[in-house]
Structures are given as C-alpha cells and as structure tokens.
Amino acid sequence: MAKMWQGRFKKELDEKVNDFNSSISFDSRMYEHDIQGSIVHVNMLGKQGIIDEKDSKVIAKELANIYDDLASGELQFDMSAEDIHMFVEQVLTQRLGDLGKKLHTARSRNDQVALDLRMYLRSEIDNILGLIKKLIRVLVAKAEENLHTVMPGYTHLQRAQPITFAHHLMAYVEMFKRDMIRLFNCFDTMNECPLGSGALATTTYPIDREFTAEYLGFNGPMQNSLDGVSDRDYCIELAGAIATCMMHMSRLSEEIVLWSSWEFKFIELDDAYSTGSSIMPQKKNPDICELIRGKTGRCIGNLTTLLTMMKGLPLAYNKDMQEDKEAIFDSVDTIKLCLSTLAPMLDTMTVNCENMANAGKRGFINATDCADYLVKKGLAFRDAYKITGTLVSTCIDKGLTLDNLPIEEYKKLCDKFDSGVYDAISLSTCVNGRGVTGGPAPDAVAKHIQKIKDTVLKEDEED
Ligand code: ARG
C-alpha cells in the first residue's frame, strides 16, 4: 500500500522497516472505535462548515459501510498498511476518490490513536467488570452454602484460629469488589476526549471539541493538546488495576492448589477443570490455578513495560508509544481469560467440609479462646496466655488436644477452670462468638453477603 506521507520522500520504505514500523497486526482490533471516531469527526467538520456538509454525510456513510464490511469479514485488513488509522483512510479514499482525502482535515493520527485506545479500553473495562461480577456471584453462592463450614484460619500457613469457609471466600469478594472500584475510577479518569489535539498543538480550523467529546461519550475534551496526544496514564492505571486483580486471582489460585492437595484435601476440582499427567496415572492437577498464578507475572510485567516505556519520553508524541498497545492488550486478554475460567472452576468444585472440620480439630486453634475464657473469669490476658501455653505443651506431651485434656489437668494450672471450658473452646463457640462486623460468625458473614447483594450484585437482580 502506498504511503500517505510519500510526497516528502524519494524512495519507497524498505520492506523490513515497513514491517518493523507497522502496528496493524495488533491495532486492527480497534477498527470499530477508529471508525466511530472518524464518523463523529467528519460530522463535526460538516457542521462547522470546515468541509461541505453534503461531503461529510457521504464520507460518514462510507465509513459506516467500511465498518460493516470489516465486521462481516467481506473486507480484510491489509497487513502492509502502517496502522489501522491509515488503513481505514486508505480504503475510504479507494472507495470515494478525492472526497475520501478530506476526512483527515484538522486531525492527526496522534490524536486518533489516543482517542481509539481510550474508547477501546473503556469498552474492555465494561467487559472486565462484568466478568468480575460473575466471579463475585459464584464466590457469594459458595459462601452461602458454607456459612457453617468450620475450617482453620491460617497465619504463616500455620493453623491459627477457627473461621468458616464462607468467611474465607468473602475475603476474596472484598478484594474483587475493590478491583471493581479501581476499574470504575480508571474509566472515569480516562473518560476525557483527546480528539482535536492534532499532532500536538491543535489546529487553526474552527473545530468543535465539545461536540466530538459529547458524541463519543466522553465527559468533555482534554484541556491541553500536548497532554492529549502524549498521555498514557490511562493504560498504566488500567494495567495496574489488572495486575492487582490478577494478584488476587493468583492468591486464590495458590490456595486452591494447596486445598486440592492430598495434604489438605479441603476441596476437589471438577474433572472438567483438572488435568492428568502423561506418566502418573493417579494425578489430578490444578493446572488452571497454576496458569492463573503464572499469567499474573506477565500482567505485572506489562505494567512495568508501560511505566518504563513512558518514563523518559519528552513531550509530546513519540513512536515509543506504539509499544503501549501490545502490553495493555495482553493484560486485557489475559485477565478476561482468567476470570472466565476461574469462575466456573470455583462453581463446580466440591467442598470437603469434613476434612476442613478435622483440620480444625488439630493445631490448637482454640487456644486463644481458652485464654479468653480465663480473662472472662478475671485473669489478665498475659497470665491467661501463659497458662494456656503450658496447657498446649501438656497436650503435646500427652498426645491430646485441649478438647479432650481432662479437667484435672486444667485445674492443676488454674483453679478458675471448670467443665464449662469445653463448651467455651468448642470450635462452633469460637466461631459463633466472633460476631462483630467482619467476623467469621455465620450471622456476621450472612450480613456481609447481604450487603454485597444489595450493592455490587444489585443491578444483576434487576436485569
Ligand atoms: N501507530 C501509531 C501508534 O500506535 C499511531 C500514531 C502514529 N503517529 C505518528 N506520528 N507516527 O502510536
């Protein structure tokens, strides 16, 4: 395809350099937004009398045809074109002749690419938000089924205090809720329109930037043209939000890897979401979780790519910025893939309540409650802590737990103990007693679930 800028040059571009310079192989995915932006731009040119209004209508109509032809597959992308912006304009000019050449009046590819990318990412944010919501819905449903499923809570991966599986899952719901907030914020911040920035210093034509911004669904035009063409904060913010959400999915994946091991056996993944080994017939591997954990690395890498790409760039546009797209597109594709695989995997997993409860019985996770029992009888916490520590040590020596250590042993260390201690340290008492906001008691978790249903998941019920 002949270059648009050929007037200035005496030679054709070297073929390898053409390929090196070209971005159409990855920016063609923005064709819909590129064409939308061009239609609104040309409508504005007509409205402002910058080009003849009739001409603007013909151009807008042909752009819509090009969109249809690309969407139906009738028109193929020309991979020798420099980028999607050049490609659409060239097709337009092939179809309309000289009229097509008027589209690029008062506009530069620099503001075009900034516009397209914002519009494309806006729509992808909506898609990602929808997928996170689906994941939250699955987690909430699993939590509801497991309000009373007692399991050990961990610190340092050592059994610490009793909680419920519902409480554990709802911790992830909070993380994903914050991820949604980050994405909403990101959408709002990026929702300003760069179109009209021109190459870097706007234009002398009487364009109407408020009009184009409004018709393209933005809150308004960007206020500085240099910033308009050279800002990529929105890519960085989105890559950051995605990396954070991936990190949350990765932590959950890591837990599922642990929970599905023979050592834990807390859950079992559905066969449809597990893989076997080519040599060991007994294996059932949590590959999906490991891949999510692995792919988190590349999303963190993409954020680093973008920050590094931008950090040394003078104002305004520099071609380095073409590197933004592969990084942010990869993050977008990766998170969508992971979210839409993780949700059904969680939905179909089986929870082994008995093994969770059994794990809770070992590891002295009710020791804090034993100390608290003494505090409630008037002892200072530090004294109660020490006595309980000695009790734990006695249990270890005798191969017993706090639940079956005879009351005489308790009384030897402190006369405040009576047989009521067994009820006070039963796992269900420990869990039910933690009913403060944010606690694992079934009532507290049920309230949390209701809150999520009334807020994050509300629109779904209305749909
Ligand atoms: N393909 C380019 C990019 O992705 C579009 C902008 C090109 N502008 C220019 N002055 N070469 O950034």
Side-chain angles (χ1 to χ4, degrees), residues 118-367:
R118 278 173 197 262
M119 287 172 60
Y120 172 79
L121 293 178
R122 267 191 332 198
S123 67
E124 288 293 16
I125 288 178
D126 278 344
N127 294 335
I128 297 168
L129 281 167
L131 291 171
I132 298 181
K133 229 187 216 186
K134 276 193 184 153
L135 177 60
I136 290 181
R137 217 178 303 143
V138 169
L139 287 167
V140 163
K142 276 270 171 260
E144 268 183 317
E145 289 165 18
N146 288 284
L147 278 175
H148 299 275
T149 308
V150 174
M151 68 181 275
Y154 295 80
T155 63
H156 313 269
L157 202 55
Q158 303 284 324
R159 291 174 195 172
Q161 289 181 345
I163 56 166
T164 66
F165 191 47
H167 189 228
H168 200 115
L169 293 175
M170 290 304 288
Y172 283 99
V173 168
E174 282 299 295
M175 294 177 226
F176 293 124
K177 184 185 88 183
R178 285 194 298 275
D179 289 329
M180 290 183 72
I181 294 170
R182 259 183 286 276
L183 288 166
F184 281 126
N185 290 342
C186 189
F187 187 108
D188 272 355
T189 315
M190 79 163 68
N191 204 22
E192 290 188 333
C193 187
L195 189 61
S197 298
L200 73 163
T202 68
T203 176
T204 53
Y205 294 99
I207 58 171
D208 184 349
R209 293 195 61 207
E210 279 69 22
F211 174 92
T212 41
E214 193 188 327
Y215 275 83
L216 291 168
F218 288 95
N219 292 333
M222 292 181 74
Q223 293 300 305
N224 180 289
S225 61
L226 296 174
D227 184 48
V229 287
S230 70
D231 167 38
R232 293 294 182 272
D233 290 3
Y234 57 99
C235 297
I236 292 167
E237 277 175 19
L238 179 56
I242 290 176
T244 307
C245 182
M246 287 293 301
M247 175 271 288
H248 293 148
M249 278 196 273
S250 182
R251 293 183 74 182
L252 179 52
S253 296
E254 168 62 16
E255 301 219 80
I256 294 169
V257 170
L258 289 171
W259 292 340
S260 58
S261 68
W262 280 92
E263 283 69 13
F264 276 80
K265 268 189 153 273
F266 281 4
I267 58 117
E268 187 174 346
L269 292 177
D270 192 84
D271 283 358
Y273 292 90
S274 320
T275 46
S277 155
S278 60
I279 174 170
M280 296 167 284
Q282 84 284 12
K283 288 296 281 292
K284 186 169 172 187
N285 295 329
D287 284 25
I288 291 177
C289 302
E290 294 165 66
L291 276 172
I292 292 175
R293 208 171 53 186
K295 284 175 191 293
T296 301
R298 62 199 262 186
C299 289
I300 296 168
N302 290 333
L303 173 61
T304 310
T305 297
L306 289 165
L307 284 165
T308 313
M309 185 266 285
M310 288 301 287
K311 80 177 181 59
L313 296 188
L315 297 184
Y317 177 83
N318 299 269
K319 190 76 174 212
D320 313 43
M321 290 175 175
Q322 182 164 287
E323 290 290 308
D324 58 3
K325 279 171 278 304
E326 282 165 296
I328 192 65
F329 292 167
D330 183 60
S331 284
V332 165
D333 294 346
T334 304
I335 192 172
K336 280 166 55 185
L337 200 62
C338 292
L339 284 166
S340 47
T341 317
L342 182 60
M345 189 196 76
L346 293 175
D347 196 26
T348 52
M349 77 183 180
T350 320
V351 181
N352 194 333
C353 305
E354 213 179 298
N355 281 352
M356 288 189 185
N358 285 338
K361 286 179 192 146
R362 309 233 146 241
F364 303 100
I365 63 178
N366 47 5

Side-chain angles (χ1 to χ4, degrees), residues 23 27 83 85 109-110 113 317 319 322 325:
S23 54
D27 65 19
D83 53 31
H85 327 293
R109 261 190 309 155
N110 294 352
V113 69
Y317 177 83
K319 190 76 174 212
Q322 182 164 287
K325 279 171 278 304

Side-chain angles (χ1 to χ4, degrees), residues 406-436:
I407 191 68
E408 297 74 45
E409 294 290 338
Y410 278 95
K411 285 186 190 283
K412 262 192 222 165
L413 284 167
C414 178
D415 59 8
K416 296 265 198 272
F417 279 119
D418 60 42
S419 60
V421 69
Y422 297 110
D423 180 52
I425 62 166
S426 87
L427 293 189
S428 58
T429 310
C430 299
V431 167
N432 293 337
R434 288 171 164 79
V436 296

